[in-house]
Amino acid sequence: MLQVLSIVRRVDWLIFLSVAVLTGLGLLAIWSVDLARDPEFLNFQKQLAFAGIGGALTIIFTLVDWRAWRSLARSLYLAGFILLVAVLIIGTTIRGTRGWFGLGNFTFQPVELAKLLLLVALAKYLAAKAHVVDFKVLVSSAALTLIYAGLVALQPDLGSAALLIALWLGFLCFTKIRKKHIAIFSLLALVVAAGSWFFLLKDYQKGRVTSFLNPESDPFGRGYNIRQSVIAVGAGGILGRGLGE
Protein backbone atom coordinates (compact mmCIF):
# COMPACT_ATOMS: atom_id res chain seq x y z
CA MET A 1 0.00 0.00 0.00
CA LEU A 2 2.82 2.39 0.88
CA GLN A 3 4.51 1.60 -2.43
CA VAL A 4 1.31 2.45 -4.34
CA LEU A 5 1.00 5.75 -2.46
CA SER A 6 4.63 6.54 -3.27
CA ILE A 7 3.96 5.97 -6.98
CA VAL A 8 0.82 8.14 -6.87
CA ARG A 9 2.75 10.99 -5.27
CA ARG A 10 5.41 10.85 -8.00
CA VAL A 11 2.89 11.45 -10.78
CA ASP A 12 2.58 15.09 -11.82
CA TRP A 13 -1.21 15.14 -11.74
CA LEU A 14 -1.52 18.73 -12.92
CA ILE A 15 0.25 17.94 -16.19
CA PHE A 16 -1.51 14.59 -16.53
CA LEU A 17 -4.99 16.06 -16.01
CA SER A 18 -4.23 18.98 -18.35
CA VAL A 19 -3.29 16.56 -21.12
CA ALA A 20 -6.29 14.36 -20.31
CA VAL A 21 -8.71 17.31 -20.64
CA LEU A 22 -7.17 18.43 -23.95
CA THR A 23 -7.22 14.86 -25.27
CA GLY A 24 -10.84 14.47 -24.19
CA LEU A 25 -11.88 17.64 -26.01
CA GLY A 26 -10.06 16.45 -29.13
CA LEU A 27 -11.78 13.06 -28.99
CA LEU A 28 -15.14 14.79 -28.51
CA ALA A 29 -14.54 16.88 -31.64
CA ILE A 30 -13.59 13.78 -33.67
CA TRP A 31 -16.66 11.93 -32.37
CA SER A 32 -18.82 14.87 -33.44
CA VAL A 33 -17.40 14.75 -36.97
CA ASP A 34 -17.90 10.97 -37.20
CA LEU A 35 -21.43 11.37 -35.86
CA ALA A 36 -22.25 13.43 -38.92
CA ARG A 37 -20.51 11.36 -41.60
CA ASP A 38 -19.31 7.94 -40.35
CA PRO A 39 -21.86 5.72 -38.55
CA GLU A 40 -19.11 3.20 -37.71
CA PHE A 41 -16.97 5.83 -35.93
CA LEU A 42 -13.77 4.32 -37.32
CA ASN A 43 -11.64 7.43 -36.96
CA PHE A 44 -12.89 8.01 -33.42
CA GLN A 45 -12.10 4.42 -32.45
CA LYS A 46 -8.60 4.70 -33.87
CA GLN A 47 -7.88 7.96 -32.05
CA LEU A 48 -9.38 6.58 -28.83
CA ALA A 49 -6.97 3.64 -29.01
CA PHE A 50 -4.04 6.02 -29.56
CA ALA A 51 -5.19 8.15 -26.62
CA GLY A 52 -5.31 5.08 -24.38
CA ILE A 53 -1.82 4.00 -25.41
CA GLY A 54 -0.54 7.54 -24.97
CA GLY A 55 -2.08 7.83 -21.52
CA ALA A 56 -0.50 4.56 -20.39
CA LEU A 57 2.90 5.62 -21.74
CA THR A 58 2.57 8.99 -20.01
CA ILE A 59 2.12 7.32 -16.63
CA ILE A 60 4.98 4.89 -17.27
CA PHE A 61 7.42 7.61 -18.33
CA THR A 62 6.38 9.77 -15.39
CA LEU A 63 7.37 6.98 -13.02
CA VAL A 64 10.84 6.62 -14.56
CA ASP A 65 13.50 8.45 -12.55
CA TRP A 66 14.62 11.53 -14.52
CA ARG A 67 18.26 10.58 -13.84
CA ALA A 68 17.78 7.58 -16.14
CA TRP A 69 16.94 9.90 -19.04
CA ARG A 70 20.00 12.01 -18.25
CA SER A 71 22.30 8.99 -18.42
CA LEU A 72 20.78 7.94 -21.76
CA ALA A 73 20.79 11.41 -23.33
CA ARG A 74 23.66 10.78 -25.78
CA SER A 75 22.35 7.40 -26.90
CA LEU A 76 18.85 8.78 -27.37
CA TYR A 77 20.14 11.72 -29.40
CA LEU A 78 22.11 9.33 -31.64
CA ALA A 79 19.02 7.15 -32.07
CA GLY A 80 17.04 10.19 -33.19
CA PHE A 81 19.78 11.12 -35.66
CA ILE A 82 19.76 7.62 -37.15
CA LEU A 83 15.96 7.69 -37.53
CA LEU A 84 16.02 11.07 -39.29
CA VAL A 85 18.73 9.87 -41.69
CA ALA A 86 16.96 6.56 -42.31
CA VAL A 87 13.65 8.19 -43.18
CA LEU A 88 15.38 10.22 -45.91
CA ILE A 89 16.65 6.97 -47.45
CA ILE A 90 13.85 4.43 -46.97
CA GLY A 91 10.96 6.59 -45.80
CA THR A 92 7.52 6.88 -47.37
CA THR A 93 6.61 10.04 -49.25
CA ILE A 94 3.26 11.60 -48.31
CA ARG A 95 2.09 14.91 -49.80
CA GLY A 96 5.56 15.59 -51.19
CA THR A 97 7.39 14.99 -47.90
CA ARG A 98 9.59 11.95 -47.27
CA GLY A 99 9.04 11.96 -43.54
CA TRP A 100 7.20 8.74 -42.65
CA PHE A 101 7.95 5.08 -42.09
CA GLY A 102 5.13 2.97 -43.48
CA LEU A 103 4.08 -0.36 -41.94
CA GLY A 104 0.96 -1.50 -43.75
CA ASN A 105 -1.81 0.96 -42.90
CA PHE A 106 0.22 2.38 -40.01
CA THR A 107 2.60 5.29 -40.56
CA PHE A 108 5.12 6.70 -38.12
CA GLN A 109 6.70 10.15 -38.39
CA PRO A 110 10.13 10.03 -36.67
CA VAL A 111 10.34 13.81 -36.28
CA GLU A 112 7.67 13.55 -33.55
CA LEU A 113 9.95 11.26 -31.55
CA ALA A 114 12.96 13.41 -32.45
CA LYS A 115 11.35 16.40 -30.71
CA LEU A 116 11.33 14.49 -27.42
CA LEU A 117 14.85 13.13 -27.88
CA LEU A 118 16.17 16.62 -28.63
CA LEU A 119 14.52 17.91 -25.44
CA VAL A 120 16.34 15.25 -23.41
CA ALA A 121 19.68 16.02 -25.07
CA LEU A 122 19.36 19.78 -24.62
CA ALA A 123 18.24 19.38 -21.01
CA LYS A 124 21.28 17.22 -20.25
CA TYR A 125 23.73 19.53 -22.02
CA LEU A 126 22.43 22.90 -20.79
CA ALA A 127 21.94 21.65 -17.23
CA ALA A 128 25.60 20.63 -17.12
CA LYS A 129 26.66 24.03 -18.49
CA ALA A 130 24.11 26.19 -16.67
CA HIS A 131 26.73 28.02 -14.62
CA VAL A 132 28.82 28.93 -17.67
CA VAL A 133 26.36 29.78 -20.45
CA ASP A 134 28.88 31.51 -22.68
CA PHE A 135 28.89 31.91 -26.45
CA LYS A 136 30.55 28.51 -26.94
CA VAL A 137 27.76 26.77 -25.03
CA LEU A 138 25.12 28.57 -27.10
CA VAL A 139 26.81 27.58 -30.35
CA SER A 140 27.18 23.96 -29.24
CA SER A 141 23.53 23.68 -28.18
CA ALA A 142 22.50 25.37 -31.44
CA ALA A 143 24.55 22.80 -33.38
CA LEU A 144 22.75 19.94 -31.60
CA THR A 145 19.46 21.47 -32.68
CA LEU A 146 20.44 22.40 -36.23
CA ILE A 147 21.63 18.86 -37.01
CA TYR A 148 18.10 17.61 -36.36
CA ALA A 149 16.45 20.64 -37.95
CA GLY A 150 18.61 20.34 -41.08
CA LEU A 151 17.70 16.67 -41.58
CA VAL A 152 14.00 17.46 -41.14
CA ALA A 153 14.25 20.39 -43.58
CA LEU A 154 15.63 17.97 -46.20
CA GLN A 155 12.40 15.94 -46.15
CA PRO A 156 11.26 18.80 -46.64
CA ASP A 157 9.25 19.65 -43.51
CA LEU A 158 10.12 23.24 -42.69
CA GLY A 159 7.32 23.55 -40.13
CA SER A 160 8.74 20.79 -37.94
CA ALA A 161 12.29 22.07 -38.50
CA ALA A 162 11.22 25.51 -37.27
CA LEU A 163 9.55 23.90 -34.25
CA LEU A 164 12.79 22.14 -33.30
CA ILE A 165 14.56 25.49 -33.35
CA ALA A 166 11.74 26.99 -31.28
CA LEU A 167 12.29 24.26 -28.66
CA TRP A 168 15.94 25.29 -28.41
CA LEU A 169 14.96 28.95 -28.03
CA GLY A 170 12.54 27.97 -25.29
CA PHE A 171 15.33 26.22 -23.41
CA LEU A 172 17.49 29.32 -23.63
CA CYS A 173 14.84 31.25 -21.70
CA PHE A 174 15.80 29.17 -18.64
CA THR A 175 19.53 29.87 -18.90
CA LYS A 176 21.59 32.88 -17.99
CA ILE A 177 22.19 34.44 -21.40
CA ARG A 178 24.02 37.70 -21.93
CA LYS A 179 22.13 40.37 -23.82
CA LYS A 180 24.89 40.70 -26.42
CA HIS A 181 24.56 36.99 -27.21
CA ILE A 182 20.82 37.41 -27.68
CA ALA A 183 21.50 40.32 -30.02
CA ILE A 184 24.04 38.30 -32.04
CA PHE A 185 21.73 35.31 -32.44
CA SER A 186 18.78 37.55 -33.30
CA LEU A 187 20.83 39.20 -36.04
CA LEU A 188 21.98 35.82 -37.37
CA ALA A 189 18.38 34.58 -37.35
CA LEU A 190 17.25 37.57 -39.40
CA VAL A 191 20.06 37.04 -41.90
CA VAL A 192 19.27 33.33 -42.24
CA ALA A 193 15.54 34.04 -42.58
CA ALA A 194 16.13 36.65 -45.28
CA GLY A 195 18.57 34.43 -47.14
CA SER A 196 16.19 31.48 -46.97
CA TRP A 197 13.32 33.57 -48.30
CA PHE A 198 15.23 34.72 -51.38
CA PHE A 199 17.45 31.71 -52.11
CA LEU A 200 16.09 28.59 -50.37
CA LEU A 201 12.31 28.58 -50.01
CA LYS A 202 10.23 27.42 -52.93
CA ASP A 203 7.16 29.28 -54.15
CA TYR A 204 4.67 26.99 -52.38
CA GLN A 205 6.56 27.45 -49.10
CA LYS A 206 6.51 31.22 -49.47
CA GLY A 207 2.83 30.93 -50.26
CA ARG A 208 2.16 29.33 -46.88
CA VAL A 209 3.71 32.32 -45.14
CA THR A 210 1.94 34.95 -47.22
CA SER A 211 -1.44 33.16 -46.95
CA PHE A 212 -1.02 32.97 -43.16
CA LEU A 213 -0.37 36.69 -42.97
CA ASN A 214 -3.04 37.50 -45.55
CA PRO A 215 -5.56 34.65 -46.16
CA GLU A 216 -7.38 36.74 -48.75
CA SER A 217 -4.34 36.57 -51.04
CA ASP A 218 -5.39 33.01 -51.94
CA PRO A 219 -8.91 32.60 -50.47
CA PHE A 220 -9.78 29.30 -52.20
CA GLY A 221 -6.29 27.77 -52.01
CA ARG A 222 -3.78 28.13 -49.19
CA GLY A 223 -5.97 30.59 -47.28
CA TYR A 224 -9.07 28.37 -47.43
CA ASN A 225 -8.69 26.71 -44.01
CA ILE A 226 -8.05 30.00 -42.24
CA ARG A 227 -11.13 31.60 -43.84
CA GLN A 228 -13.26 28.56 -42.98
CA SER A 229 -12.17 28.71 -39.34
CA VAL A 230 -13.32 32.32 -39.15
CA ILE A 231 -16.62 31.39 -40.80
CA ALA A 232 -17.08 28.48 -38.36
CA VAL A 233 -16.64 30.73 -35.33
CA GLY A 234 -18.93 33.32 -36.87
CA ALA A 235 -21.64 30.72 -37.53
CA GLY A 236 -21.37 28.75 -34.30
CA GLY A 237 -20.20 31.34 -31.79
CA ILE A 238 -18.15 30.39 -28.75
CA LEU A 239 -20.14 27.23 -27.94
CA GLY A 240 -20.69 26.06 -31.51
CA ARG A 241 -23.89 24.64 -33.01
CA GLY A 242 -23.77 21.38 -31.05
CA LEU A 243 -22.32 17.90 -31.45
CA GLY A 244 -22.79 16.47 -34.91
CA GLU A 245 -23.59 19.89 -36.40
Side-chain angles (χ1 to χ4, degrees):
M1 184 66 180
L2 292 176
Q3 188 175 8
V4 173
L5 290 174
S6 176
I7 292 174
V8 170
R9 291 193 190 100
R10 288 171 58 188
V11 175
D12 191 328
W13 290 106
L14 180 60
I15 292 179
F16 182 81
L17 291 175
S18 298
V19 173
V21 169
L22 290 173
T23 302
L25 291 173
L27 288 172
L28 186 63
I30 294 172
W31 179 81
S32 177
V33 172
D34 278 359
L35 184 66
R37 68 181 187 183
D38 182 8
E40 296 183 2
F41 296 94
L42 295 178
N43 192 37
F44 173 75
Q45 293 179 38
K46 180 177 71 173
Q47 297 302 328
L48 183 62
F50 285 144
I53 294 171
L57 290 175
T58 299
I59 294 175
I60 292 172
F61 287 140
T62 300
L63 298 178
V64 176
D65 194 317
W66 63 270
R67 296 176 185 83
W69 299 115
R70 183 175 64 181
S71 63
L72 293 172
R74 290 187 179 181
S75 298
L76 293 174
Y77 181 85
L78 179 60
F81 174 80
I82 292 173
L83 284 174
L84 292 177
V85 171
V87 78
L88 291 174
I89 300 172
I90 61 173
T92 300
T93 301
I94 299 178
R95 294 186 295 274
T97 299
R98 186 183 290 271
W100 283 263
F101 290 119
L103 297 173
N105 294 328
F106 177 76
T107 56
F108 165 64
Q109 195 172 12
V111 67
E112 298 302 330
L113 180 60
K115 294 172 186 176
L116 299 177
L117 301 183
L118 179 62
L119 288 175
V120 174
L122 287 175
K124 163 69 181 301
Y125 181 75
L126 290 175
K129 305 290 185 179
H131 60 292
V132 284
V133 183
D134 54 18
F135 193 71
K136 180 180 178 181
V137 172
L138 291 178
V139 171
S140 298
S141 61
L144 289 174
T145 305
L146 291 176
I147 289 173
Y148 270 27
L151 290 171
V152 174
L154 289 175
Q155 294 178 5
D157 185 354
L158 293 183
S160 294
L163 183 55
L164 291 172
I165 295 173
L167 292 176
W168 171 69
L169 293 174
F171 261 99
L172 294 185
C173 295
F174 297 94
T175 60
K176 298 178 181 178
I177 311 174
R178 296 179 181 178
K179 292 182 178 180
K180 68 176 183 180
H181 292 161
I182 296 177
I184 291 173
F185 270 93
S186 298
L187 181 60
L188 287 174
L190 289 174
V191 172
V192 171
S196 298
W197 182 267
F198 290 107
F199 303 108
L200 181 62
L201 296 183
K202 297 179 181 179
D203 289 340
Y204 77 91
Q205 293 168 331
K206 293 180 181 179
R208 292 177 181 175
V209 177
T210 56
S211 63
F212 172 75
L213 297 175
N214 180 20
E216 298 301 327
S217 64
D218 188 8
F220 300 105
R222 297 185 182 93
Y224 180 79
N225 285 337
I226 299 176
R227 293 180 70 252
Q228 289 301 114
S229 67
V230 174
I231 293 172
V233 174
I238 299 298
L239 300 178
R241 290 186 170 182
L243 296 176
E245 300 296 329

